[in-house]
């Protein structure tokens, strides 16, 4: 009996030793992976922790745009295109909670005119074609190519991402169109026929009256939109709970760029806005690279349209966020990032069935 107990004790010690050794090896491997992911040694932005200004050429001269790299991955590098137009990278800061642990490298980037980049006063610069050439110059400066380059555009950034892909998809490994439809006329129709009627009739009537008078600086306009539109379709949280990065982004919005391209209305794109007639729906089949479209049930954009887009794309996949709005990366966060990370890693591993 004593001999049997001795054997059991020895076996237990050996098993614990093996387990401890295995755990120690895994912990060391995890620590090494984390260290490698965050190691910027030899990188030109090492001194600044990954942040750098990139010089770009425009029809009106040279300007600088701000970027910041996070992480190291030889095959998964994501350039983030913010919304607005005229917004900032700040709304993407929640990506810090998800992409590093997936080993995905990503780049914050403020487009020309946005808060961290140069802000020239020449309004001729604020057009989609010039922004596409800007993205291409940023891509080259960051050494992104078809073997590693994923482009993610949110809202207006989704328009810019589609336009970039239609001209330069040979440089892309993957494309993500987040919370953006392929047609502004369709967006306006959805706002008029679906979102508008969800408001109390008297509220909608007053909003329309203010817009008809072009009285967009009237404080009453935002008093009506904040509880009846923004907290239902932009981000489904009480305003006092909106995350700090989002509030900073709104505070830093370049209104000149925004109004010229998007227009003064917060309820569709109206008036003389340059994006008013933008529509690339018929061109979606030309985008051959693996593409993910993301839509939220409560989005300002029609989630069914974004699902339809995925079906028009030869290598399309749709990510539906049932609790999400236009900022689904915040109000349906786990769904958003689980789907995003899966798409990037699937493409990286060569999975054909998206």
């Amino acid at each position: 009996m004593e001999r049997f107990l001795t054997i059991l004790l020895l076996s237990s010690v050996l098993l614990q030793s093996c387990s401890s050794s295995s755990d120690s090896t895994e912990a060391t491997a995890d620590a090494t992976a984390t260290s490698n992911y965050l190691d910027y040694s030899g990188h030109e932005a090492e001194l600044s922790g990954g942040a750098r200004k990139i010089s770009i050429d425009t029809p009106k001269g040279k300007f600088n745009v701000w970027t910041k790299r996070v992480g190291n991955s030889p095959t998964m590098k994501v350039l983030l295109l913010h919304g607005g137009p005229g917004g900032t990278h700040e709304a993407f800061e929640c990506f810090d909670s998800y992409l590093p642990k997936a080993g995905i490298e990503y780049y914050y980037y403020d487009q020309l005119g946005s808060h961290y980049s140069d802000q020239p006063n020449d309004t001729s610069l604020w057009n989609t074609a010039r922004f596409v050439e800007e993205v291409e110059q940023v891509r080259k400066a960051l050494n992104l190519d078809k073997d590693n380059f994923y482009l993610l555009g949110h809202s207006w950034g989704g328009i810019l991402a589609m336009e970039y892909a239609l001209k330069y998809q040979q440089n892309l490994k993957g494309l993500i169109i987040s919370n953006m439809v392929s047609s502004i006329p369709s967006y306006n129709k959805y706002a008029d026929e679906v979102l508008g009627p969800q408001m109390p009739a008297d509220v909608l009537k007053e909003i329309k009256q203010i817009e008809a008078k072009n009285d967009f600086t009237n404080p009453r306009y935002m008093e009506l939109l904040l509880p009846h539109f923004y907290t239902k379709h932009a981000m489904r949280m009480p305003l006092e709970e909106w995350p700090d990065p989002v509030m900073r982004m709104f505070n830093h919005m370049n209104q000149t760029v925004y109004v010229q391209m998007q227009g003064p209305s917060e309820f569709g794109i109206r008036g003389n806005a340059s994006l008013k007639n933008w529509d690339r729906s018929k061109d979606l089949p030309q985008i051959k690279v693996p593409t993910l479209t993301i839509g939220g049930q409560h989005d300002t954009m029609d989630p069914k349209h974004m699902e339809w887009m995925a079906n028009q794309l030869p290598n399309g996949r749709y990510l539906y966020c049932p609790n999400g709005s236009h900022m689904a990366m915040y109000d349906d966060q786990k769904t958003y990032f689980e789907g995003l990370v899966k798409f990037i890693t699937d493409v990286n591993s060569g999975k054909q069935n998206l």
Side-chain angles (χ1 to χ4, degrees):
M1 184 63 148
E2 288 179 0
R3 184 167 176 269
F4 178 66
L5 288 173
T6 301
I7 292 171
L8 280 177
L9 286 169
L10 284 171
S11 299
S12 175
V13 169
L14 285 170
L15 284 171
Q16 287 179 9
S17 175
C18 290
S19 176
S20 297
S21 175
S22 175
D23 290 346
S24 176
T25 301
E26 289 178 8
T28 301
D30 288 344
T32 301
T34 300
S35 176
N36 290 339
Y37 179 79
L38 296 173
D39 183 6
Y40 296 163
S41 300
H43 188 271
E44 62 182 291
E46 179 180 3
L47 180 67
S48 59
R52 61 178 285 207
K53 290 283 187 76
I54 292 172
S55 177
I56 60 166
D57 292 310
T58 78
K60 297 305 175 75
K62 288 183 177 293
F63 298 100
N64 291 315
V65 296
W66 180 93
T67 66
K68 179 176 170 62
R69 170 188 176 183
V70 180
N72 285 291
S73 171
T75 60
M76 298 182 291
K77 304 175 186 285
V78 184
L79 180 63
L80 303 172
L81 302 181
H82 62 69
T88 75
H89 73 281
E90 291 159 307
F92 286 128
E93 287 181 10
C94 60
F95 282 53
D96 290 349
S97 298
Y98 294 90
L99 297 198
K101 61 188 178 184
I104 297 170
E105 179 180 325
Y106 55 106
Y107 290 82
Y108 292 124
Y109 156 40
D110 267 21
Q111 299 150 29
L112 186 65
S114 293
H115 187 72
Y116 288 75
S117 296
D118 288 352
Q119 300 174 42
N121 293 321
D122 194 326
T123 57
S124 68
L125 292 167
W126 315 135
N127 64 83
T128 304
R130 193 212 58 77
F131 275 113
V132 168
E133 297 311 313
E134 177 184 319
V135 173
E136 174 62 359
Q137 292 180 67
V138 170
R139 177 196 71 81
K140 289 178 179 177
L142 296 175
N143 296 314
L144 309 176
D145 59 39
K146 62 182 178 59
D147 296 322
N148 56 40
F149 178 31
Y150 295 79
L151 186 62
L152 185 153
H154 176 260
S155 194
W156 142 252
I159 292 178
L160 183 53
M162 282 182 259
E163 290 289 341
Y164 179 87
L166 286 166
K167 186 169 184 181
Y168 290 115
Q169 66 178 308
Q170 70 272 14
N171 301 323
L172 288 169
K173 186 172 184 176
L175 177 68
I176 300 102
I177 304 165
S178 175
N179 307 89
M180 188 65 226
V181 293
S182 58
S183 165
I184 295 302
S186 294
Y187 162 48
N188 286 340
K189 187 172 185 287
Y190 185 70
D192 290 337
E193 297 181 2
V194 179
L195 300 183
Q198 293 179 18
M199 294 183 181
D202 58 331
V203 170
L204 181 60
K205 181 180 178 181
E206 191 173 354
I207 288 173
K208 293 293 187 182
Q209 288 173 342
I210 292 172
E211 292 196 340
K213 296 176 183 177
N214 287 316
D215 191 16
F216 294 103
T217 59
N218 187 333
R220 180 65 176 160
Y221 189 54
M222 292 307 294
E223 285 176 15
L224 293 168
L225 285 171
L226 284 171
H228 297 289
F229 188 71
Y230 275 94
T231 56
K232 294 185 182 297
H233 301 293
M235 188 183 299
R236 291 176 67 81
M237 300 177 187
L239 194 62
E240 62 272 15
E241 295 179 13
W242 280 26
D244 172 68
V246 176
M247 299 306 292
R248 279 188 278 114
M249 182 272 291
F250 278 116
N251 288 335
H252 293 155
M253 182 78 69
N254 186 324
Q255 291 296 329
T256 300
V257 181
Y258 183 84
V259 171
Q260 180 175 321
M261 299 185 73
Q262 146 82 29
S265 173
E266 298 300 320
F267 198 63
I269 296 181
R270 318 287 181 175
N272 296 321
S274 62
L275 290 172
K276 181 179 177 181
N277 298 311
W278 180 84
D279 192 334
R280 284 294 202 167
S281 296
K282 293 181 180 178
D283 299 320
L284 293 176
Q286 297 177 30
I287 301 176
K288 311 293 187 184
V289 296
T291 302
L292 177 69
T293 66
I294 305 174
Q297 175 59 39
H298 308 283
D299 208 324
T300 53
M301 309 290 166
D302 182 0
K304 289 294 183 184
H305 184 109
M306 290 177 274
E307 181 178 21
W308 172 85
M309 288 167 60
N311 292 325
Q312 303 307 300
L313 295 157
N315 283 297
R317 176 189 290 185
Y318 179 53
L319 173 59
Y320 172 62
C321 299
N323 299 312
S325 66
H326 196 55
M327 301 289 284
M329 69 275 284
Y330 285 97
D331 53 22
D332 201 351
Q333 197 166 78
K334 293 195 181 302
T335 302
Y336 186 98
F337 283 104
E338 284 176 5
L340 174 61
V341 168
K342 187 174 191 308
F343 170 77
I344 293 171
T345 54
D346 280 354
V347 173
N348 190 56
S349 64
K351 288 190 177 180
Q352 298 298 314
N353 297 319
L354 291 178

